[in-house]
Amino acid sequence: MTPRTGGPAADPTFLRLPLLGVHLSRRLAVTGALLILLAVVACLLTGLSPLLPVFLVLLFVLAVSPVVGLGYALVVLNTPLGLWFLGAEKVVGDAFGGRDYALGLSAAVVVCVLFALTVVLHRWTRLQLVCASVAMLVVGVWSLIGFADHGVAQTLVGVRLTVLPVLLLAVLFSLTRRQVLPLMTVLAWLLVANAVASLGELAVGPARLVRWGFEEDTAVRYIGDTFRVPGLTSFNAELGILAGAYLLGYVALWLTPTARPDRMSWHAGGVASVLCLVLSTSRSGALLVAGGLVAAVVLNRSGGAAGRRRARIVGLGVVAAVAAGFVALGMAGATSLFQRFDVWADLFDADVPVWGLGIGGVGAATTSRVTSSQQIFIDNYFVSVALQFGPVLGVALLAATGYLLWKLWRRTAERPGSVLLVALLAGLACSFLVIEAWEYPGAMMCLGVFAAYGRHLDAADLPPAAGATAQTTTAAPAPSPTFPVTTPTVDRPTAR
């Protein structure tokens, strides 16, 4: 075959950007560089930070490349304390007028742009359009209720916390399996980095950490005399939920015969997640792991009896190991859980309207810097939804979770890849009982990455269409490298 000699790839006047999947004219690149230089000069003359246009261009580049953009979001959402300690948060904040929250907000902006591009390029089905319309109506109506109850600013914070995991999941589900794999590797190394930081914090000690600027009762917290390390996250509960999410996905892959991991980075992430979970003393993260794995081994209908027996041994063994670690640290008590029962009863006894308080009325939105109401901690996301959206939608969320579990349970008999999805959904539901896990975007993105990988595993178990051959399946045209069609690949993945 004669090689192609024409086109932008061979033209020296073009610059190829493989991560973005586009070709850039050298003349256009030079023009862009000059415009950035002029913008830097203009910022200097007007008193703005000269780094502002540089960061804006960088955000634009991240926002049009799904893998790179999502990798950036993974780092920002799961290492906020580390980025603060390294000074990255201050540098970006100074570029945006001293707003120290600009770095964290930039991850949400990148995700929103990626979602918008995904929506434009996605082929919508009628059911998807109906579901999207209902979701937009619910968010719109309960946002108006929130505006009237506790103000616009606090409501918008609640909208961001509520909607961001949905946007992340939509973008992740638009990726091909080849694009999901590097995100899982990045996630594994982030767990390793958090584990190293946790050991360092334990060695340094809380007193010195406070002298270094770590905030007491947030980054530095105790249960009794036990120091609860935060790792690179904001505080220990965030580290625990993140570690629990990764450990659940990693072990659930071992329970899926066609998806057992063999990458060293994933193994390192699994070991690091156990360490982070124990050192964070997060019983919510432990319940996330235990609930998901128990559901996976009980509801798994795939394989033979011997395979299911081995899966039970692996799953229950991990649960026992995590429980033993908490017992060794003296963190096996249930006093805080019973205290939560009293808090929930008091909240429902309060004068809450049948339509709820609106988005942002309770939970993390009440602890933001723009809050206009008292801080209300729930530690139960089902209760949080019932208080924000009313009891009817709270019950609907419970029913939808049960229905999805039932559907996935039925699929496990013919599609072993569904076992991972069962574990993730069941673990998330269990964590909802003791913490507002949905409002931890880093952990939700971790679960979303595993869910996107599980979706491809589930699709790989589909039987071939009538009359189709292996040759026609593998010869299917590859999707666009930047924003692929959301139909997952159907080739059976290798064990990775």
Side-chain angles (χ1 to χ4, degrees), residues 160-221:
R160 176 174 61 84
L161 293 171
T162 303
V163 174
L164 185 60
V166 179
L167 305 187
L168 280 168
L169 195 63
V171 177
L172 287 167
F173 271 32
S174 74
L175 303 181
T176 63
R177 179 176 177 272
R178 182 175 296 180
Q179 290 173 311
V180 173
L181 290 176
L183 293 177
M184 294 185 67
T185 301
V186 171
L187 189 59
W189 288 120
L190 285 176
L191 264 298
V192 173
N194 271 281
V196 173
S198 298
L199 290 174
E201 290 161 353
L202 200 63
V204 169
R208 185 176 296 178
L209 292 176
V210 172
R211 290 198 298 270
W212 286 355
F214 284 57
E215 188 175 352
E216 289 190 271
D217 297 326
T218 302
V220 178
R221 304 175 70 192

Side-chain angles (χ1 to χ4, degrees), residues 68-79:
V68 178
L70 289 173
Y72 172 78
L74 271 175
V75 173
V76 172
L77 293 176
N78 291 301
T79 60

Side-chain angles (χ1 to χ4, degrees), residues 429-444:
C430 289
S431 69
F432 277 0
L433 297 173
V434 294
I435 197 171
E436 292 117 323
W438 191 261
E439 297 182 348
Y440 291 81
M444 291 303 99

Side-chain angles (χ1 to χ4, degrees), residues 209-259:
L209 292 176
V210 172
R211 290 198 298 270
W212 286 355
F214 284 57
E215 188 175 352
E216 289 190 271
D217 297 326
T218 302
V220 178
R221 304 175 70 192
Y222 294 87
I223 286 186
D225 296 328
T226 304
F227 172 42
R228 312 167 74 179
V229 299
L232 298 176
T233 65
S234 298
F235 57 103
N236 72 297
E238 189 174 6
L239 176 64
I241 290 292
L242 171 63
Y246 184 90
L247 182 60
L248 173 60
Y250 173 76
V251 178
L253 288 178
W254 283 100
L255 306 181
T256 306
T258 58

Side-chain angles (χ1 to χ4, degrees), residues 142 145-146 148-150 347-358 361-362 383-393:
W142 270 268
I145 296 174
D149 184 79
H150 42 263
L347 288 171
F348 279 113
D349 288 341
D351 187 17
V352 178
V354 68
W355 52 82
L357 301 172
V362 297
V383 176
S384 178
V385 170
L387 291 173
Q388 293 182 79
F389 295 88
V392 174
L393 288 185

Side-chain angles (χ1 to χ4, degrees), residues 300-492:
N300 185 6
R301 302 169 63 199
S302 64
R308 289 195 294 270
R309 185 164 54 250
R310 287 192 298 269
R312 293 188 186 100
I313 294 173
V314 172
L316 297 179
V318 172
V319 173
V322 172
F326 277 81
V327 171
L329 289 176
M331 307 303 298
T335 304
S336 62
L337 180 60
F338 291 106
Q339 292 174 347
R340 292 174 185 179
F341 290 153
D342 296 334
V343 172
W344 301 334
D346 293 340
L347 288 171
F348 279 113
D349 288 341
D351 187 17
V352 178
V354 68
W355 52 82
L357 301 172
I359 299 179
V362 297
T366 65
T367 65
S368 68
R369 58 173 55 85
V370 297
T371 183
S372 58
S373 62
Q374 63 175 341
Q375 296 182 359
I376 304 177
F377 298 93
I378 304 298
D379 287 335
N380 184 314
Y381 196 67
F382 291 116
V383 176
S384 178
V385 170
L387 291 173
Q388 293 182 79
F389 295 88
V392 174
L393 288 185
V395 173
L397 176 61
L398 276 171
T401 302
Y403 175 74
L404 286 176
L405 276 175
W406 176 72
K407 290 285 288 185
L408 291 172
W409 168 72
R410 294 188 60 185
R411 291 162 70 97
T412 57
E414 297 180 353
R415 305 187 192 180
S418 296
V419 175
L420 174 60
L421 299 177
V422 168
L424 297 177
L425 181 58
L428 181 61
C430 289
S431 69
F432 277 0
L433 297 173
V434 294
I435 197 171
E436 292 117 323
W438 191 261
E439 297 182 348
Y440 291 81
M444 291 303 99
M445 188 172 184
C446 176
L447 290 176
V449 172
F450 277 103
Y453 186 60
R455 181 170 178 263
H456 290 292
L457 296 176
D458 182 75
D461 295 324
L462 281 170
T469 63
Q471 182 177 1
T472 58
T473 301
T474 57
S480 167
T482 304
F483 283 93
V485 178
T486 58
T487 303
T489 55
V490 297
D491 55 316
R492 183 175 295 277

